[in-house]
Amino acid sequence: MRPIVVLLALLGVLADRSPAADAADLPLFDAHIHYSRPDWDVYSPERALSLLARAGVRRAIVSSTPDDGTLKLYEKAPAVVVPFLRPYRTREDMSTWPRSAEVQAYVEQRLQRGVYRGIGEFHLSVGDADAPVVRRFAELARRDGLFLHGHVDEATVEKLLTLYPDVRILWAHAGMSSSAATVGRLLDRSPKLWVELALRSDVASGGTLAADWRALFLRHPDRFLVGTDTWVTSRWEDLQQSMRAVQDWLAQLPPAVAENIAHGNGERLFPSR
Ligand SMILES: [Zn+2]
């Protein structure tokens, strides 16, 4: 295509977007950002922060492998970054951490900085929910008022809620594949559970908010957060588009509910210090 044709096509796309939809764009609290070692060489902290800002993200929960990435962003923008301490020094820790005394020491030592608002994001299987390091993290979370951010399936999140009923849990990806009905049942059951929706394109596949998710957001408007999950470096380039899709389904909710899910819940759970 000649440049002028491309330009005209682009203008056509822009014209399709109604002014009302743009006017409704909400500030966002992104509950799922990583800034891990492979990202550091590609995006400086300044560049990563500007990508967040361009996507409309005002504040974000950030964790990383290793944790130094989180601190790099936090030092540049303490008002933007809500630091979570990920218990992985390298990706090798991903499956072994629940029983690793070394990981426990790494986390306990770093928590002494006093900047963290949660432990995670971590992966965990149901058989490890009561492993020694998990039990210790639950104790630390209770002691310091931290969230546990778990990328776990519904059986595991239910076990965590049973084993550690007074610990606040942020459930990553709503279990990745759990149904709205299951998420609703767990939210009804536990006042300590919050749910983030990173990578859940099924909430509004094809752009239309699904009826069952919509009903659940209306029933529990104070328990959901949006998120991106920059789990590989290329996801940083998708940020703007991914949040565009989120804005489009938020616009299908009553404004007060949309504001809660876009940023209000995050602001309330993680007040600026
Ligand atoms: Zn993640």
Side-chain angles (χ1 to χ4, degrees), residues 128-174:
D128 277 339
D130 59 352
V133 179
V134 184
R135 273 190 274 125
R136 179 63 183 149
F137 285 1
E139 264 172 40
L140 294 166
R142 203 179 298 118
R143 184 192 76 188
D144 296 348
L146 305 173
F147 275 77
L148 296 184
H149 189 193
H151 179 148
V152 298
D153 65 15
E154 60 206 43
T156 309
V157 82
E158 190 156 20
K159 187 148 184 212
L160 290 172
L161 292 166
T162 304
L163 288 168
Y164 317 112
D166 46 1
V167 172
R168 292 185 293 176
I169 292 178
L170 178 58
W171 192 15
H173 314 288

Side-chain angles (χ1 to χ4, degrees), residues 90-103:
T90 69
R91 288 182 61 86
E92 315 306 306
D93 287 332
M94 215 161 129
S95 53
T96 53
W97 73 268
R99 298 171 192 281
S100 163
E102 286 179 9
V103 167

Side-chain angles (χ1 to χ4, degrees), residues 37-270:
R37 191 182 291 282
D39 307 330
W40 303 348
D41 293 333
V42 182
Y43 300 113
S44 66
E46 291 82 359
R47 176 89 178 116
L49 290 164
S50 87
L51 288 171
L52 286 172
R54 261 179 37 201
V57 175
R58 293 227 183 132
R59 294 181 74 211
I61 292 175
V62 177
S63 62
S64 61
T65 308
D67 176 57
D68 294 350
T70 300
L71 296 180
K72 285 174 201 278
L73 287 194
Y74 179 68
E75 278 157 17
K76 297 279 181 218
V80 173
V81 172
V82 177
F84 271 37
L85 176 47
R86 191 171 224 199
Y88 306 160
R89 298 159 299 170
T90 69
R91 288 182 61 86
E92 315 306 306
D93 287 332
M94 215 161 129
S95 53
T96 53
W97 73 268
R99 298 171 192 281
S100 163
E102 286 179 9
V103 167
Q104 181 176 320
Y106 168 80
V107 165
E108 295 209 30
Q109 187 249 323
R110 296 191 76 105
L111 277 181
Q112 288 171 13
R113 283 175 194 271
V115 299
Y116 302 99
R117 314 292 282 268
I119 299 174
E121 180 205 19
F122 54 72
H123 304 75
L124 184 67
S125 60
V126 68
D128 277 339
D130 59 352
V133 179
V134 184
R135 273 190 274 125
R136 179 63 183 149
F137 285 1
E139 264 172 40
L140 294 166
R142 203 179 298 118
R143 184 192 76 188
D144 296 348
L146 305 173
F147 275 77
L148 296 184
H149 189 193
H151 179 148
V152 298
D153 65 15
E154 60 206 43
T156 309
V157 82
E158 190 156 20
K159 187 148 184 212
L160 290 172
L161 292 166
T162 304
L163 288 168
Y164 317 112
D166 46 1
V167 172
R168 292 185 293 176
I169 292 178
L170 178 58
W171 192 15
H173 314 288
M176 201 61 103
S177 59
S178 295
S179 68
T182 297
V183 175
R185 180 177 64 77
L186 292 168
L187 287 173
D188 291 341
R189 190 206 125 156
S190 171
K192 298 290 189 185
L193 180 65
W194 285 264
V195 176
E196 53 93 337
L197 298 163
L199 301 177
R200 289 302 298 259
S201 54
D202 59 312
V203 164
S205 63
T208 304
L209 185 56
D212 51 356
W213 285 103
R214 186 174 201 282
L216 183 57
F217 296 156
L218 297 184
R219 183 149 65 91
H220 285 296
D222 52 349
R223 311 286 284 281
F224 288 95
L225 297 89
V226 298
T228 303
D229 194 1
T230 47
W231 64 282
V232 287
T233 303
S234 60
R235 283 289 293 162
W236 282 93
E237 286 301 323
D238 300 339
L239 247 169
Q240 214 170 359
Q241 202 187 344
S242 134
M243 281 314 193
R244 178 72 256 153
V246 166
Q247 295 277 11
D248 287 346
W249 64 252
L250 286 172
Q252 296 165 52
L253 286 164
V257 176
E259 277 170 28
N260 264 336
I261 297 174
H263 64 97
N265 294 336
E267 297 293 350
R268 201 179 58 255
L269 293 169
F270 306 99

